[in-house]
Amino acid sequence: MATPVRRHRGGAVQDRPLGWARNPLTEFDQLLSEMSGLIESTVGGAAPAVAWTPLADVTEADDAFHIEIELPGVKSKDIDVEANGQELVVTGEIKEKERKGVLRRSTRRTGAFEYRLRLPGEVDTEKINAQMSDGLLTITVPKAEVAKPRHVEISEMSESTGSSG
């Protein structure tokens, strides 16, 4: 059985088989972008903005969840972080820069973004901390204090020995 390969428009065969992309979502995002452009050119107006999802890492420690979201060039005032129960939602917008001259090519993401995460377990939403540094949004979500198991000592009751019978 032959391995499927991707062909470019010119008919040339790509050097790696299908499914070997570095990031499988990259091709999907590119397809969405192309479809949005097609809709925009067909309808003649601006297509409705579709929020995209930024890249992120989520780690879990004993006491908290740590989320790092890549948002290069975004100011903290353009980001909104909300927590509702176990769900964390980060939204915002990367604004298009004003440019002089003709833009020949652009691969940077602009427009609205949204990152949603449902955390496994109870969290303390009152103590969530978010910091922005060098294009990296770091959010710390502490785990809720739960009743810890407690060992209960069993004491022996001595029976009274002075019973008459």
Side-chain angles (χ1 to χ4, degrees), residues 56-71:
D57 289 335
V58 180
T59 56
E60 180 179 2
D62 291 337
D63 60 342
F65 295 97
H66 302 281
I67 300 100
E68 293 179 339
I69 304 173
E70 290 184 7
L71 296 169

Side-chain angles (χ1 to χ4, degrees), residues 7-153:
R7 295 191 179 273
H8 292 288
R9 290 186 183 180
V13 176
Q14 190 172 353
D15 58 348
R16 66 177 190 255
L18 285 175
W20 286 38
R22 281 182 47 209
N23 182 355
L25 295 178
T26 304
E27 290 183 11
F28 183 71
D29 288 339
Q30 190 174 9
L31 179 64
L32 278 177
S33 176
E34 290 176 11
M35 288 173 53
S36 176
L38 179 63
I39 291 171
E40 192 173 315
S41 66
T42 305
V43 176
V50 176
W52 54 274
T53 304
L55 300 175
D57 289 335
V58 180
T59 56
E60 180 179 2
D62 291 337
D63 60 342
F65 295 97
H66 302 281
I67 300 100
E68 293 179 339
I69 304 173
E70 290 184 7
L71 296 169
V74 181
K75 296 182 174 132
S76 58
K77 67 178 183 170
D78 296 329
I79 303 171
D80 185 39
V81 179
E82 291 184 10
N84 185 8
Q86 292 175 283
E87 186 175 40
L88 181 73
V89 181
V90 178
T91 56
E93 182 177 3
I94 296 180
K95 297 179 179 156
E96 183 74 34
K97 294 181 182 178
E98 284 190 36
R99 291 178 166 69
K100 295 181 181 177
V102 178
L103 179 63
R104 298 291 182 184
R105 182 175 182 185
S106 177
T107 57
R108 290 183 172 176
R109 294 196 171 225
T110 56
F113 63 84
E114 178 181 75
Y115 180 80
R116 289 185 172 270
L117 176 65
R118 184 156 182 86
L119 297 166
E122 295 298 319
V123 295
D124 188 353
T125 57
E126 297 298 319
K127 295 181 182 175
I128 294 177
N129 180 19
Q131 296 179 347
M132 186 73 164
S133 176
D134 296 329
L136 189 67
L137 176 64
T138 304
I139 304 170
T140 302
V141 183
K143 293 180 180 178
E145 287 291 323
V146 293
K148 295 180 181 177
R150 181 176 148 259
H151 181 73
V152 178
E153 291 290 328

